């Protein structure tokens, strides 16, 4: 309010107002609905990489701590299930039908690994070629 009474303050405020108006212009245009393709691809990739690191860390622990086969498999199932949940959440808000389908397929593949009676086999085979459709949709 003091700026309205002080000519010097009003003069100094003018550039900020102009800058605010300039920066407000892009937000006035319609924003794309949902995350961008690049954001989704990067997020899904990060989820899979982080999950892979967790699996590798657990593999080392399993040797050091002499885990049972059941405990190893339970940890693999949990890791795949967690990745599936996180990847599935990335599909929410995706407007590109091809990308949405690829993300959902990746989540479904991970969910299958999380339910597998032999998650170690899933890790050695299917996990290695996880959703080629996602790579295609992301341009990789």
């Amino acid at each position: 309010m003091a700026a309205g009474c002080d000519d010097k303050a009003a003069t100094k405020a003018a550039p900020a107002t102009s800058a605010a108006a300039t920066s407000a212009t892009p937000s006035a245009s319609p924003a794309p609905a949902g995350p961008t393709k690049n954001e989704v691809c990067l997020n899904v990739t990060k989820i899979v990489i982080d999950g892979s690191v967790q699996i590798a860390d657990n593999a080392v622990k399993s040797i050091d701590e002499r885990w049972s086969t059941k405990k190893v498999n339970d940890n693999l199932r949990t890791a795949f299930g967690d990745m599936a949940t996180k990847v599935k959440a990335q599909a929410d808000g995706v407007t590109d039908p091809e990308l949405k389908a690829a993300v959902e397929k990746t989540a479904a593949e991970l969910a299958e690994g999380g339910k597998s009676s032999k998650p170690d086999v899933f890790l050695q085979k299917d996990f290695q070629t996880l959703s080629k459709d996602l790579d295609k949709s992301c341009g990789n």
Side-chain angles (χ1 to χ4, degrees), residues 35-51 83 86-92 94 103 106 134 138:
T36 68
K37 179 178 180 177
N38 191 43
E39 288 170 334
V40 172
C41 293
L42 288 174
N43 289 343
V44 171
T45 299
K46 184 176 180 342
I47 291 165
V48 173
I49 288 171
D50 289 350
M83 283 188 275
K86 291 174 184 174
V87 170
K88 177 72 173 129
Q90 290 298 310
D92 295 343
V94 174
V103 172
T106 300
L134 183 66
C138 289

Side-chain angles (χ1 to χ4, degrees), residues 56-68 71-72:
D57 288 347
N58 283 341
V60 172
K61 281 185 193 176
S62 74
I63 294 167
D64 292 344
E65 298 173 9
R66 298 176 186 236
W67 288 0
S68 68
K71 185 171 181 176
V72 170

Side-chain angles (χ1 to χ4, degrees), residues 17-30:
T17 304
S18 297
T22 304
S23 65
T25 304
S27 62
S29 63

Side-chain angles (χ1 to χ4, degrees), residues 68-113:
S68 68
T69 301
K70 180 184 179 328
K71 185 171 181 176
V72 170
N73 286 337
D74 288 347
N75 275 278
L76 283 171
R77 283 187 205 96
T78 298
F80 294 136
D82 290 348
M83 283 188 275
T85 300
K86 291 174 184 174
V87 170
K88 177 72 173 129
Q90 290 298 310
D92 295 343
V94 174
T95 55
D96 178 309
E98 179 185 346
L99 180 59
K100 185 175 186 88
V103 172
E104 288 174 340
K105 181 177 179 187
T106 300
E109 290 171 353
L110 287 164
E112 286 299 314

Side-chain angles (χ1 to χ4, degrees), residues 77 111-122:
R77 283 187 205 96
E112 286 299 314
K115 296 174 192 171
S116 176
S117 63
K118 296 184 178 184
D120 55 330
V121 173
F122 176 82

